[in-house]
């Protein structure tokens, strides 16, 4: 959950979801905004966030973004995992796409100039950063179609075509990531899998569910 403090006032930006594969629970699938969690859980996260940030304000925290990462169990239990005195950088593009007046860098400039940023509002779109991950050991060009990848907008390639992939962690090796926007999380998730099927040359070594 991201937000900022401006002259002692807490402004909420929103809740994002980190999704992992059920078949590979240590492998990161995507980062999506806004959250699709039930409203009751989002309200608990909102209250937990404000309680933490208010305590930090009492210790002098002010005029900066702050991110709090929570773990939400399948029983709707909430645990604080991490607190960062900044926004999550990867979320900036999603906020620009899915919020009215949501650019966090514009907000930081306003804060630096002594002005209260405008409170962002959802514009009805969903955005996500989707990862293309492999558990195969091979030369990258044998795993990923680098030539075809150039035809996709908002795609970040994270490997060199001649790179020999020999070390695979429990979360796999990320070959690329794509930024997608649509009218629902289901829509952009389907788009992501379509792109994965086109670009992954050895899809059997990649998680899907």
């Amino acid at each position: 959950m991201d937000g900022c403090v401006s002259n002692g006032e807490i402004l909420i930006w929103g809740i994002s979801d980190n999704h992992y594969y059920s078949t590979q629970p240590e492998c990161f699938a995507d980062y999506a905004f806004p959250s699709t969690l039930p409203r009751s859980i989002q309200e608990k996260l909102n209250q937990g966030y404000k309680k933490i940030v208010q305590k930090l304000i009492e210790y002098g925290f002010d005029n900066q973004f702050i991110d709090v990462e929570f773990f939400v169990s399948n029983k709707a239990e909430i645990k604080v995992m991490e607190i960062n005195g900044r926004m999550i950088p990867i979320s900036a593009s999603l906020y620009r796409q899915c919020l009215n007046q949501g650019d966090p860098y514009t907000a930081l400039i306003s804060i630096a100039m002594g002005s209260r940023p405008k409170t962002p509002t959802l514009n009805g779109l969903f955005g996500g950063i989707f990862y293309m991950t492999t558990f195969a050991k091979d030369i990258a060009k044998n795993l990923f179609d680098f030539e075809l990848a150039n035809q996709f907008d908002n795609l970040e390639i994270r490997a060199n075509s001649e790179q020999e992939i020999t070390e695979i962690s429990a979360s796999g090796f990320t070959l690329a990531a794509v930024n997608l926007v649509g009218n629902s999380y289901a829509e952009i998730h389907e788009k992501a899998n379509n792109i994965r099927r086109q670009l992954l040359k050895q899809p059997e070594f990649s998680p899907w569910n």
Side-chain angles (χ1 to χ4, degrees):
M1 186 167 189
D2 273 332
C4 70
V5 180
S6 174
N7 197 27
E9 181 183 0
I10 301 172
L11 304 177
I12 300 297
W13 244 245
I15 302 171
S16 302
D17 293 337
N18 292 328
H19 294 125
Y20 295 80
Y21 295 100
S22 59
T23 55
Q24 295 280 351
E26 293 180 295
C27 185
F28 190 40
D30 64 76
Y31 183 85
F33 177 84
S35 176
T36 58
L37 288 168
R39 292 305 309 172
S40 58
I41 295 178
Q42 291 193 41
E43 184 55 35
K44 289 173 68 174
L45 292 170
N46 191 299
Q47 293 174 4
Y49 179 88
K50 289 181 177 179
K51 183 177 180 179
I52 290 169
V53 176
Q54 187 58 51
K55 179 61 68 175
L56 292 174
I57 290 173
E58 294 172 9
Y59 282 99
F61 185 90
D62 203 358
N63 297 320
Q64 178 58 277
F65 269 79
I66 181 166
D67 167 84
V68 180
E69 295 184 25
F70 296 92
F71 178 82
V72 181
S73 77
N74 56 8
K75 296 181 180 179
E77 297 171 332
I78 294 172
K79 302 291 184 182
V80 177
M81 296 173 59
E82 186 175 329
I83 300 172
N84 300 291
R86 54 168 172 74
M87 63 179 162
I88 297 297
I90 194 175
S91 63
S93 62
L94 301 182
Y95 294 150
R96 293 192 193 102
Q97 295 165 158
C98 304
L99 289 172
N100 300 309
Q101 302 169 339
D103 183 4
Y105 295 105
T106 299
L108 283 170
I109 292 172
S110 295
I111 290 173
M113 296 176 66
S115 300
R116 178 189 183 281
K118 295 180 180 179
T119 303
T121 56
L122 293 170
N123 64 13
L125 295 176
F126 285 77
I129 309 295
F130 292 83
Y131 294 82
M132 298 176 205
T133 303
T134 184
F135 283 86
K137 294 181 180 181
D138 204 333
I139 299 174
K141 66 182 179 182
N142 294 333
L143 301 171
F144 186 79
D145 193 330
F146 287 87
E147 183 176 350
L148 183 59
N150 292 325
Q151 300 179 20
F152 291 91
D153 295 330
N154 300 322
L155 189 144
E156 176 192 358
I157 298 174
R158 298 192 176 185
N160 183 286
S161 62
E162 299 298 329
Q163 182 175 348
E164 187 173 357
I165 301 170
T166 58
E167 299 293 331
I168 303 291
S169 69
S171 58
F173 184 91
T174 300
L175 294 163
V178 63
N179 183 335
L180 299 173
V181 180
N183 294 312
S184 69
Y185 174 74
E187 177 187 329
I188 59 177
H189 183 268
E190 182 178 358
K191 287 182 182 178
N193 275 343
N194 286 336
I195 294 173
R196 286 170 174 143
R197 291 186 186 98
Q198 293 179 67
L199 297 181
L200 292 170
K201 292 184 174 180
Q202 299 184 41
E204 67 273 18
F205 290 103
S206 297
W208 292 93
N209 300 309

